[in-house]
Amino acid sequence: MVDNSTQRYFNDKVVWITGASSGIGRALCLALRSSGAWLIVSARQRQALEEIRAEYGENKVHVVVLDQASPESVKQASAQALAWKGRVDVLFNNGGISQRSEAVDTDESVVRRIMEVNFFANIQLTAAVLPGMIERGSGHVVVTSSLMGKWGFYLRSAYGASKHALHGYYDSLRMEVESQGIQVTILTPGFIATDISRNALSGDGKPTGEMDQNQAGGMPVELCADKILQGVARGARELPIGGKELNGLWVKRFFPKLFERILRRQQAT
Ligand SMILES: NC(=O)c1ccc[n+]([C@@H]2O[C@H](COP(=O)([O-])OP(=O)(O)OC[C@H]3O[C@@H](n4cnc5c(N)ncnc54)[C@H](OP(=O)(O)O)[C@@H]3O)[C@@H](O)[C@H]2O)c1
């Protein structure tokens, strides 16, 4: 349940959430129920999006099916999203796919797919909503990166690369557009209890179908969604969310060699 100032921030805004069919994106949608926001929900699974629409309130939600692996689908979805209310005030660029395979075993097509879904589609969506935001002198782009956007780890070479790329892009974008009233928030979740590891790609491109222990024991997704919405409403530039794994941020910064030793001892899944 989000607090009053968070509700006020989102009230009457048009909020586009990608990756809305499950996990963090779905929880963000449901947490916004009492906020007065108009929602555009996107992902590939239409049925799951329709269920959110039914739960949230049918006339307040617009379903836009989107395949982030296809630039053409991203283009069409952007046009549909903008046509609904004529604007997008807040874009949650949240849809994404992970990886569980060593670099040496990962087919190049899998690397390209992960970059397409997590990076290229993400910035294509931002490019679609940005001109309108600049014209109105307000808007907020929120990007779900990861702690894997802050350091590398076993089995996640392409995933980590895609998330690191988001930081380079959005830190630069923020510098260019903040004076025009546009905010950019980069989320860096740690372990959140969703199906991300089940949906993660193996080296041959097939989903692993396996739940990681780290994920299963991660932060409940509802709590994660509340923290994200509160951080976004207060204008956070970068927002870590998770449990003790977040300590890695300051250990890496101040004790990089110690950090590497600790990291090497962690289990990969
Ligand atoms: N859970 C964690 O611990 C964690 C940690 C750090 C970062 N993250 C990031 O959080 C975001 C959400 O992940 P999650 O944990 O909520 O996992 P999830 O439950 O697997 O959700 C992933 C979402 O992305 C969508 N998606 C995947 N491939 C897509 C494609 N080709 N086109 C359009 N949508 C696609 C999925 O929808 P469809 O299948 O319906 O298309 C789904 O809604 C991701 O960017 C992930 O990298 C998660």
Side-chain angles (χ1 to χ4, degrees):
M1 184 69 190
V2 293
D3 58 29
N4 287 344
S5 61
T6 305
Q7 284 195 21
R8 272 197 301 280
Y9 181 78
F10 286 101
N11 184 38
D12 213 30
K13 288 204 165 74
V14 180
V15 178
W16 187 6
I17 301 181
T18 69
S21 62
S22 76
I24 296 172
R26 183 176 185 278
L28 287 171
C29 295
L30 298 181
L32 281 169
R33 259 178 304 193
S34 52
S35 69
W38 304 89
L39 280 197
I40 303 166
V41 291
S42 287
R44 289 167 302 178
Q45 302 173 70
R46 178 183 286 280
Q47 185 53 37
L49 301 176
E50 293 292 353
E51 282 166 21
I52 289 170
R53 184 159 171 255
E55 251 186 272
Y56 190 93
E58 300 215 334
N59 64 339
K60 298 278 288 186
V61 178
H62 186 49
V63 169
V64 174
V65 172
L66 162 71
D67 182 356
Q68 294 184 207
S70 155
E72 185 52 36
S73 169
V74 177
K75 190 173 159 196
Q76 284 175 16
S78 302
Q80 286 168 31
L82 284 165
W84 186 44
K85 296 283 174 194
R87 67 181 206 275
V88 170
D89 299 308
V90 185
L91 169 63
F92 280 89
N93 245 322
N94 169 75
I97 190 112
S98 194
Q99 171 195 15
R100 293 293 182 274
S101 56
E102 292 197 356
V104 70
D105 299 325
T106 305
D107 197 86
E108 187 190 327
S109 64
V110 176
V111 178
R112 289 187 185 277
R113 183 177 178 87
I114 289 172
M115 288 303 291
E116 192 67 53
V117 171
N118 292 0
F119 179 70
F120 288 111
N122 187 307
I123 63 168
Q124 195 185 345
L125 290 164
T126 296
V129 300
L130 201 55
M133 290 180 172
I134 290 172
E135 211 177 300
R136 291 187 299 280
S138 71
H140 201 147
V141 179
V142 185
V143 186
T144 310
S145 174
S146 164
L147 286 185
M148 297 300 103
K150 306 297 282 184
W151 59 72
F153 197 51
Y154 302 112
L155 307 185
R156 290 157 175 84
S157 50
Y159 180 70
S162 71
K163 296 298 187 183
H164 274 70
L166 293 173
H167 287 256
Y169 188 90
Y170 284 100
D171 281 341
S172 304
L173 180 70
R174 185 190 299 109
M175 294 186 78
E176 292 170 3
V177 298
E178 64 187 345
S179 63
Q180 296 167 78
I182 319 293
Q183 298 186 75
V184 175
T185 300
I186 304 178
L187 311 172
T188 56
F191 299 125
I192 313 298
T194 71
D195 279 344
I196 187 92
S197 61
R198 277 205 185 101
N199 297 328
L201 302 184
S202 315
D204 60 3
K206 296 201 182 77
T208 67
E210 285 171 24
M211 174 62 89
D212 287 359
Q213 271 182 44
N214 283 330
Q215 234 69 56
M219 175 181 274
V221 73
E222 297 79 12
L223 179 59
C224 168
D226 286 353
K227 285 182 180 292
I228 290 173
L229 295 175
Q230 283 162 27
V232 168
R234 67 164 194 273
R237 299 159 84 78
E238 195 166 303
L239 188 65
I241 309 124
K244 62 180 181 353
E245 67 277 14
L246 301 185
N247 289 329
L249 289 164
W250 65 265
V251 179
K252 180 176 196 289
R253 184 162 176 198
F254 296 110
F255 309 101
K257 284 190 177 153
L258 170 67
F259 177 71
E260 215 178 311
R261 282 205 300 277
I262 296 171
L263 207 57
R264 281 184 193 289
R265 290 201 302 265
Q266 304 303 307
Q267 60 182 38
T269 58

